[in-house]
Amino acid sequence: MKKILLLLLASSFSFAQIDRMEPPNWWENMNLNQVQIMFYGKNIAQNKVSVSNGVVIKSIQKTENPNYLFVTIDTKDILAQNLVFTFSNGKKSFAKNFEIKPRNPQSKFRKSYDSSDVIYLLMPDRFANGNPNNDSTNDTQEKGNRSEPGGRHGGDIQGIINNLDYLKNLGVTAVWPTPLCEDNDQNYSYHGYGQSDVYKIDPRYGTNEDYVRLSQELHKRGMKNIMDYVTNHWGWKHWMYNDLPTYDWIHQFPGYSQSNYRMTTQFDPNASQIDAKNCMDGWFVKSMPDLNQSNPLVLQYLTQNAIWWIEYADLDGFRVDTYSYNDKEGIAQWTKAITDEYPHFNIVGEVWMHSQAQMAYWQKDSKIGAIESYNSYLPSVMDFTLHDAFGTVFNEDKASWDKGIIKIYDNFTNDFLYPNPNNLLTFIENHDTQRFNHLYNDINKYKMALTLIATVRGIPQVYYGSEIGMKGNKDNGDADIRQDFPGGWNGDSNNAFTKAGRTSEQDAYHQFTAQLFNWRKTKQVIHTGKTTHYIPENNVYVYFRYNETESVMVVINNSSEKQTFKTNRFQENILKYKNGTDVLSNKTFNLQNDITIEAKSSLILELN
């Protein structure tokens, strides 16, 4: 009865002075139970605030902008219910409901992505258009225009859902779409990294409910949903940018100053303070205001927003954009808060550097970071040095001291620097790099590269369209490496989502990819096995993945000529195994005899 009276009381007040309330709700039984609620409305800070049901208000924080009020409540031991916040300035009163929702008892210990997964990175606007009716909307500036390479093409969440069976049959187990929250820039907004509302899915992609449905449809298929999260910056069209809560909500110099992009200043013991500041605090680009994670209000806002999405959409992991450009103490606190809330939740950070030591600095429990008592708490980083090697190695037919497949071998010799090398994200390309099939235009080289990321330590990630041989030249602009997936739009002459619709070349790429990744799905020896590798000879790289019950021998011939090698060199791994059957061709090799491998090809031998 008390709750009904409170709700009736709330409904009798005017709600006009509350334009926004973020987060829009919270959950019971959360580790983060000191919840900072941001109320936004005209002169909202002039009001006194109270809340119903005996809930304790821990703090009320006003800023120099009277349109904001930050109210922190203690939700510990508060069961699911509707709370009513009452605002009064002595003359008028109004109220706002805030719901504490019931929490799934299994939420805290949700299983995230790991080395048993294959991640499929896609750009939603360029993947498939499942709902042409939302290509343009009244509340967003840029309208659909598929003829414009850098424009909005109409791909959306429904398009992803429509093709989940295609992805599952390909052997994909986790999907990473680039950001789906609203990006209301006037043009070039399709990539989503200049977000204008971080609690709202861009209406050209669908609704918040559609995003929840995407998670549900993935989970029905035993697949995972990874959100691309941006902590470093928002877009200049973010609703808050024109009415900042505090001057230092973003980094100001005053106004705009671009980052120097020198991430080494974050840990260089000889770096000047001004260079370090300009890296962390400078804006990534002029249209992306740089968020100040050292401001406690900002940090709490970002932390709660991230956790809100995990609970709301039942997410399975994050990829964090431009991770190492953040305030490094602030981003460590953000990351720790999320992994404290969800102990098994995986987060991979974009740390685009070209040294294993520098990348290892950013992984959780790094011994390198410990030198200066720094821990990022970041579970995973992206293996950019392996990607660097992929960019040239398959054209280096003649091996030398530092050319050829030795580059791949050398990458793994530095695994001792990482606290957890099996939790690195491996990839041959992504949405910011040259398309692999543009660099090489050779299916045999694609097969070698894919064999590598499918069988080495870490979590393999593939970029949409590679599996059908898609090309694109970054030198022509980013739009060229982010082309539409053929068949994702009604009327496309070529539908590569179906076998009947693929060209013979597309199908050859697809068949190999599906065969390899579907084999990998059940191979624990690949997911968590140990590695022994051998110094390449004649541009041939041999390594073993093994555990107590299984062993797999991988052979990569990067030479332009057929190679024959003796197997006795590998006896410490061959042990008592007699034969090896190639996963790709089903051909069996006698491990007591020499092995011959064709030029520019691979073998994956299951030993028996």
Side-chain angles (χ1 to χ4, degrees):
M1 180 61 72
K2 182 179 179 182
K3 182 185 292 186
I4 293 172
L5 289 172
L6 285 167
L7 290 173
L8 288 171
L9 179 66
S11 65
S12 68
F13 291 140
S14 167
F15 286 78
Q17 291 194 38
I18 302 288
D19 295 324
R20 290 180 181 267
M21 178 181 69
E22 296 175 345
N25 67 275
W26 205 245
W27 289 265
E28 63 182 4
N29 300 320
M30 298 290 286
N31 187 68
L32 197 164
N33 49 48
Q34 305 294 299
V35 184
Q36 171 188 290
I37 307 168
M38 183 196 72
F39 295 99
Y40 177 72
K42 181 74 171 176
N43 293 321
I44 186 71
Q46 295 178 359
N47 293 275
K48 293 182 179 180
V49 187
S50 61
V51 65
S52 64
N53 297 9
V55 173
V56 175
I57 293 179
K58 301 294 288 185
S59 71
I60 298 173
Q61 189 163 348
K62 301 178 181 180
T63 70
E64 66 262 32
N65 187 335
N67 296 334
Y68 289 87
L69 199 58
F70 294 86
V71 181
T72 300
I73 62 171
D74 186 351
T75 64
K76 186 178 181 181
D77 302 324
I78 300 295
L79 298 179
Q81 59 187 282
N82 278 307
L83 304 178
V84 179
F85 283 90
T86 303
F87 300 81
S88 175
N89 62 11
K91 297 179 181 179
K92 292 183 178 180
S93 294
F94 57 96
K96 184 71 173 175
N97 289 338
F98 184 83
E99 186 178 4
I100 305 293
K101 294 188 175 186
R103 190 185 189 195
N104 183 336
Q106 305 304 315
S107 177
K108 181 178 181 67
F109 298 104
R110 65 185 62 228
K111 186 179 185 297
S112 194
Y113 63 93
D114 56 29
S115 56
S116 68
D117 288 299
V118 170
I119 298 173
Y120 191 89
L121 162 61
L122 60 86
M123 301 204 75
D125 184 68
R126 305 303 167 89
F127 187 61
N129 188 352
N131 180 11
N133 293 327
N134 64 18
D135 292 358
S136 301
T137 67
N138 292 333
D139 54 349
T140 52
Q141 295 189 89
E142 188 174 15
K143 309 305 179 184
N145 182 2
R146 200 178 174 200
S147 65
E148 175 60 45
R152 285 272 180 173
H153 290 189
D156 50 31
I157 291 172
Q158 188 59 52
I160 301 172
I161 292 172
N162 291 349
N163 293 291
L164 289 182
D165 288 337
Y166 165 83
L167 295 178
K168 183 176 182 180
N169 292 335
L170 187 65
V172 169
T173 62
V175 177
W176 156 23
T178 51
L180 287 160
C181 283
E182 182 191 89
D183 183 334
N184 203 20
D185 281 354
Q186 292 166 305
N187 49 57
Y188 205 64
S189 67
Y190 73 90
H191 57 70
Y193 288 98
Q195 294 171 110
S196 51
D197 189 333
V198 294
Y199 277 99
K200 178 185 177 185
I201 295 298
D202 194 297
R204 290 159 295 193
Y205 292 142
T207 63
N208 284 22
E209 292 76 19
D210 288 331
Y211 189 48
V212 172
R213 192 160 52 87
L214 172 61
S215 277
Q216 292 170 343
E217 291 297 328
L218 282 162
H219 295 159
K220 284 179 187 177
R221 294 164 173 81
M223 300 167 75
K224 299 168 185 175
N225 189 4
I226 300 172
M227 176 180 254
D228 197 336
Y229 198 92
V230 189
T231 52
N232 182 64
H233 52 262
W234 288 338
W236 72 292
K237 288 295 184 179
H238 191 282
W239 68 269
M240 229 185 262
Y241 182 54
N242 289 325
D243 194 21
L244 289 171
T246 66
Y247 178 82
D248 66 348
W249 190 268
I250 61 173
H251 289 120
Q252 307 220 38
F253 291 83
Y256 163 75
S257 179
Q258 186 163 299
S259 173
N260 58 27
Y261 305 117
R262 297 292 182 177
M263 292 176 283
T264 52
T265 60
Q266 300 274 45
F267 44 72
D268 176 6
N270 307 307
S272 67
Q273 291 183 15
I274 187 63
D275 287 343
K277 175 179 172 59
N278 285 338
C279 173
M280 286 189 290
D281 297 356
W283 296 19
F284 200 69
V285 294
K286 194 169 186 178
S287 62
M288 294 178 176
D290 199 75
L291 292 165
N292 179 12
Q293 299 84 23
S294 63
N295 179 327
L297 293 176
V298 175
L299 184 60
Q300 186 76 356
Y301 182 96
L302 293 171
T303 301
Q304 291 180 175
N305 177 257
I307 291 173
W308 186 87
W309 276 113
I310 295 169
E311 287 290 325
Y312 174 80
D314 197 15
L315 299 178
D316 304 291
F318 281 155
R319 177 266 184 182
V320 179
D321 183 66
T322 54
Y323 188 91
S324 50
Y325 287 95
N326 292 276
D327 173 83
K328 72 178 189 180
E329 300 297 341
I331 195 63
Q333 292 180 53
W334 179 89
T335 307
K336 187 177 186 299
I338 293 167
T339 52
D340 282 351
E341 191 74 64
Y342 309 97
H344 306 310
F345 197 79
N346 207 357
I347 304 173
V348 61
E350 181 190 30
V351 180
W352 196 334
M353 308 189 85
H354 306 283
S355 157
Q356 286 95 340
Q358 294 174 5
M359 293 189 301
Y361 173 89
W362 291 100
Q363 193 176 31
K364 179 183 177 181
D365 298 332
S366 169
K367 294 179 181 178
I368 301 169
I371 295 171
E372 58 175 60
S373 301
Y374 179 73
N375 193 340
S376 71
Y377 298 100
L378 178 67
S380 176
V381 295
M382 301 164 71
D383 195 345
F384 273 100
T385 55
L386 181 60
H387 166 263
D388 291 344
F390 279 133
T392 58
V393 66
F394 300 113
N395 281 340
E396 295 171 350
D397 300 340
K398 301 297 182 183
S400 66
W401 181 258
D402 60 352
K403 295 290 192 296
I405 203 72
I406 190 70
K407 287 182 174 179
I408 303 295
Y409 170 90
D410 280 344
N411 187 77
F412 299 125
T413 64
N414 286 306
D415 276 1
F416 72 95
L417 293 165
Y418 294 105
N420 187 0
N422 206 38
N423 202 30
L424 302 180
L425 189 78
T426 60
F427 59 104
I428 62 175
E429 63 187 344
N430 65 26
H431 60 300
D432 290 321
T433 71
Q434 280 286 15
R435 279 272 188 180
F436 183 91
N437 293 318
H438 165 75
L439 289 173
Y440 292 107
N441 194 25
D442 184 337
I443 191 172
N444 292 320
K445 295 176 182 180
Y446 171 81
K447 289 179 177 181
M448 286 194 291
L450 215 65
T451 296
L452 274 159
I453 66 163
T455 57
V456 297
R457 87 305 185 250
I459 310 166
Q461 169 250 298
V462 291
Y463 183 41
Y464 82 100
S466 281
E467 78 277 9
I468 56 166
M470 274 181 67
K471 302 174 181 67
N473 185 357
K474 187 175 172 66
D475 294 340
N476 295 332
D478 285 344
D480 209 50
I481 59 172
R482 303 167 179 176
Q483 296 177 34
D484 297 346
F485 192 101
W489 281 252
N490 289 332
D492 282 1
S493 59
N494 169 214
N495 183 4
F497 285 115
T498 68
K499 182 175 179 59
R502 288 191 282 271
T503 66
S504 58
E505 180 185 32
Q506 289 172 337
D507 200 51
Y509 277 88
H510 184 274
Q511 283 191 36
F512 176 82
T513 306
Q515 180 186 10
L516 181 61
F517 285 147
N518 278 294
W519 166 80
R520 190 187 190 276
K521 272 185 180 180
T522 60
K523 288 299 164 183
Q524 190 172 356
V525 67
I526 301 296
H527 305 161
T528 59
K530 296 179 179 179
T531 299
T532 298
H533 66 165
Y534 294 78
I535 299 170
E537 293 182 349
N538 300 322
N539 226 356
V540 176
Y541 182 34
V542 177
Y543 56 94
F544 291 77
R545 301 299 308 281
Y546 60 96
N547 56 27
E548 293 181 354
T549 58
E550 288 184 276
S551 186
V552 174
M553 178 182 182
V554 184
V555 185
I556 310 287
N557 179 15
N558 192 43
S559 170
S560 57
E561 299 176 353
K562 181 188 297 186
Q563 297 290 331
T564 299
F565 59 89
K566 297 185 180 298
T567 58
N568 57 1
R569 180 182 174 216
F570 313 112
Q571 191 56 45
E572 64 187 88
N573 285 97
I574 290 176
L575 301 171
K576 295 181 180 180
Y577 291 108
K578 303 297 183 184
N579 300 300
T581 301
D582 181 28
V583 169
L584 304 173
S585 67
N586 208 33
K587 180 179 178 181
T588 297
F589 293 79
N590 185 328
L591 298 177
Q592 310 308 309
N593 298 335
D594 295 351
I595 291 178
T596 298
I597 179 171
E598 296 297 322
K600 296 293 182 184
S601 69
S602 310
L603 298 172
I604 304 175
L605 304 179
E606 292 187 308
L607 305 191
N608 50 71

